[in-house]
């Protein structure tokens, strides 16, 4: 029987993105790898799932000794489908998503397809980690951070994670991080979220843009505080959003 | 100056769904209504946003005295675009989503487009409430629950909601609810999530299905417990998923 850990890897930038190849390289020595990733970009897909159209698993070339498939769906679909169709006999020991081209710090965790996959893994009871680099570019340089990715993955494989907790890990751009900090997701809001245009036929349309305004830029407990100072950050994420402390105070709504 | 509250309504079943029309009727006397809803079904879209294709706001007929638009995007897009393009002068006093055709209880809150819109409203600092009926059918009968929808909306308009908290409200099917209970989102998992098929060309494909297995069916603190006994439920939802209590315990990952 095979005792090497089984590592399921996905992302939201699509199976051809540089980040997912770098992630696979970084953890190649830690176990057997299966890649199941979207067939193209799925940024901003959150925990979206495909409810009423057909999903396909297509075998793909990825790298020597790595079994890989693309899916015509979302990152959460990839995790669900991998667990259902590919891993019925042998569950993954860890699920990794990324390395995302661009930040998933602050409240981006809510919109991130990368973190949608991680949360899906967490719901399935598998230790799950999302990795993101604060560099959107297609040719982002992941080399500075790969030793840290290897080391964190090794630790999580060895110790597991608390029940119902997954990790959102972000790395600063273009440097070897000064170190790793545990942090809370920074709070902020977007303004001027769309650019308005007019089509050749005179109809208005909109494209997403916007500026992120940090709520408390000097709060040294947040991921954005440390990322902007050259550190990598780990935010522990609990997918269950029930506000248990508000059940009693809001009881007046039921009367 | 207009002192009537401004009510923004959206959903994930699309602007022609019966549920959103029933919702608008239920709250019509409480304020001025603007409807901004997807141009078709967007179930399972979670907090997905459209990041790289164009969005359009299309004026629609909806009902007398109600300004309405459809959007070629997700429920979260609808809220963002409404706030950006339609409500710059006058912010909504409340955001309502639904009434969803089908349950959003338990961990469905994670996948629900209805709740994606509600969470978007909460991020924008507006009291936001999602309403769902445990009946998927196109012709679901919402009449039993409309007085309760009116009454809850009236209360939230009058008292507001705690900062960073929104509500996920579910109703049992086909009866006047016995009452309203504050509850936690039930925990469970899906099994056998896909049905496998083979295309005419011999290629496999998958469609989402599955059985939901309740983790603690006898736990009387959960929404599913009360819903199955004929009660309506209110789950207070905190969109911020940082697990503050795990920041210290997981510090060993940074060393």
């Amino acid at each position: 029987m095979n005792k090497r850990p089984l590592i399921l890897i996905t992302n939201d930038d699509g199976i051809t993105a540089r980040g997912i190849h770098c992630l696979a390289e970084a953890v190649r020595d830690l176990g057997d790898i299966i890649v199941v990733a979207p067939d193209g970009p799925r940024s901003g897909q959150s925990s979206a799932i495909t409810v009423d159209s057909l999903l396909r698993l297509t075998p793909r070339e990825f790298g020597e000794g790595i079994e890989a498939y693309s899916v015509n769906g979302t990152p959460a679909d990839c995790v669900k489908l991998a667990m259902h169709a590919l891993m019925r006999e042998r569950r993954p020991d860890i699920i990794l998503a990324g390395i995302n081209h661009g930040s998933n710090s602050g409240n981006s965790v809510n919109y991130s397809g990368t973190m949608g996959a991680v949360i899906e893994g967490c719901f399935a009871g598998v230790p799950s980690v999302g990795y993101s680099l604060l560099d959107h570019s297609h040719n982002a340089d992941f080399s500075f951070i790969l030793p840290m990715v290897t080391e964190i993955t090794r630790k999580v494989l060895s110790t597991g994670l608390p029940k119902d907790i997954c990790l959102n890990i972000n790395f600063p751009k273009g440097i070897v991080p000064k170190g790793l900090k545990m942090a809370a997701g920074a709070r902020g809001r977007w303004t001027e979220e769309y650019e308005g245009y007019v089509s050749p036929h005179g109809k208005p349309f909109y494209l997403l843009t916007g500026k992120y305004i940090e709520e408390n830029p000097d709060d040294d407990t947040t991921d954005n505080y440390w990322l902007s100072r050259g550190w990598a950050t780990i935010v522990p994420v609990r997918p269950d959003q029930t506000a248990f402390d508000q059940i009693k105070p809001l009881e007046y709504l039921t009367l």
Side-chain angles (χ1 to χ4, degrees), chain A residues 148-217:
Chain A
M148 221 174 230
V149 168
T150 309
E151 191 48 32
I152 297 166
T153 305
R154 187 195 311 274
K155 278 188 180 157
V156 174
L157 268 172
S158 136
T159 63
L161 285 176
K163 181 168 154 53
D164 304 324
I165 298 291
C166 52
L167 303 179
N168 180 20
I169 303 185
N170 284 268
F171 297 95
K173 170 181 175 175
I175 57 166
V176 175
K178 291 179 187 167
L180 256 174
K181 288 274 182 192
M182 293 300 299
R187 303 160 59 96
R189 61 195 171 79
W190 291 87
T191 60
E192 304 300 323
E193 292 198 278
Y194 295 92
E195 186 75 37
Y197 298 86
V198 178
S199 79
H201 309 292
K203 298 220 169 156
F205 66 91
Y206 300 89
L207 283 171
L208 193 67
T209 174
K211 277 190 307 219
Y212 188 77
I213 298 178
E214 203 72 59
E215 199 171 297
N216 301 302

